[in-house]
Amino acid sequence: MELSGEYVGCDGEPQRLRVSCEASGDADPLQSLSAGVVRMKELVAEFFGTLVEQDAQGLAEDPDDALDGDDEDDAEDENNSGRTNSDGPSAKRPKPAS
Amino acid sequence: MQNPVEGLDGRAGLEEGEDSQLRPQAPDAQASSQNSATEGDHGNVPQSCPQDSGRPAAPGTLATPGSQAAPGSPSPGSTVGSGAAAEEAAVIPHSEQATLVPGPSGDAASTGNRSLEFSVTVPFRTAVEADMARRSLVANAHPQQVMVQQEFTANDSILAVRWTTDDPFLFRISINTFLDQLSLVMRNIQRLEFVAVVKRGRGRSRES
């Protein structure tokens, strides 16, 4: 006798939780199953606790993406500054000709 | 005597004519107001003297500035209308921005949605026990079906339960609640068996 649980995340990969509920000797099988339920509850708490933490970390990483966006903006600013530098010489060129 | 009176009227008419000629030359507002006053005067003069009625051309020419004034008033109206249109144009971008703001967030929310599944299989000793457990758990599951979808299936002596949701946190709450209720159901089944055994014992003792 086995009490089993299976989790399927967004990636579609299944993860299994198993608890054995073998009755020893003259023990009542239903009582063994009850003990298995308690054990399964502990496993579920541990499993989803970790999962929730990972999800929270994933959300926390989103601001980093925003920072990466800011870095891109800085790069664009550098490009713009380069353009202004290029405009300088073009403005200076007419002066020597005159 | 009548002749001197007519002569005076004639001079007055000439003076008025000169004034009317001068006033059109001045396009100022004062000139326009004077023109309107003159129009009133001309309106009165023809009634008294037939010679003045011979000068309706002057009122006609004066009427033209009046007609010009009439379109002048709508022109400010049209400008006011254009201003209103400008305001409407100014308002529209705000509304568009307001409508656009939830769009990306809505898209982000939709892209953030993901379906998660968790299932548990519980092996009972008999099909009767599995069915009893299923009936009890289904009754208690109704309040939780709003955010988390639950499916209970009893196949022979195996009870299978499946949850579907987008939030792992809700998963944890729902599954823990189920396991607590499952423990209670098992205790109830054990008690029912105990009661049954006791009743059988009593029956046998009575028979003996």
Side-chain angles (χ1 to χ4, degrees), chain B residues 75-137:
Chain B
S75 62
S78 65
T79 57
V80 171
S82 64
E87 291 178 355
E88 292 177 354
V91 170
I92 291 171
H94 290 290
S95 64
E96 288 178 353
Q97 291 177 359
T99 56
L100 288 173
V101 169
S105 63
D107 294 339
S110 65
T111 56
N113 291 336
R114 52 183 179 178
S115 179
L116 309 174
E117 292 184 2
F118 190 87
S119 60
V120 169
T121 56
V122 184
F124 286 90
R125 294 176 298 181
T126 63
V128 173
E129 290 181 353
D131 188 61
M132 289 173 63
R134 183 183 68 80
R135 292 172 181 271
S136 299
L137 294 167

Side-chain angles (χ1 to χ4, degrees), chain A residues 2-26:
Chain A
E2 183 181 71
L3 184 64
S4 65
E6 183 179 84
Y7 170 77
V8 180
C10 58
D11 56 357
E13 185 177 355
Q15 301 179 41
R16 296 181 180 176
L17 306 174
R18 294 180 179 177
V19 177
S20 178
C21 305
E22 295 297 335
S24 60
D26 297 336

Side-chain angles (χ1 to χ4, degrees), chain B residues 4 10 15 31 47 79 95 150 152 174 179:
Chain B
E15 291 177 356
Q47 293 177 356
T79 57
S95 64
Q150 301 184 40
F152 295 84
S174 185
L179 293 174

Side-chain angles (χ1 to χ4, degrees), chain A residues 86-98:
Chain A
S86 64
D87 292 338
S90 64
K92 292 180 180 178
R93 289 178 182 176
K95 292 181 179 180
S98 63

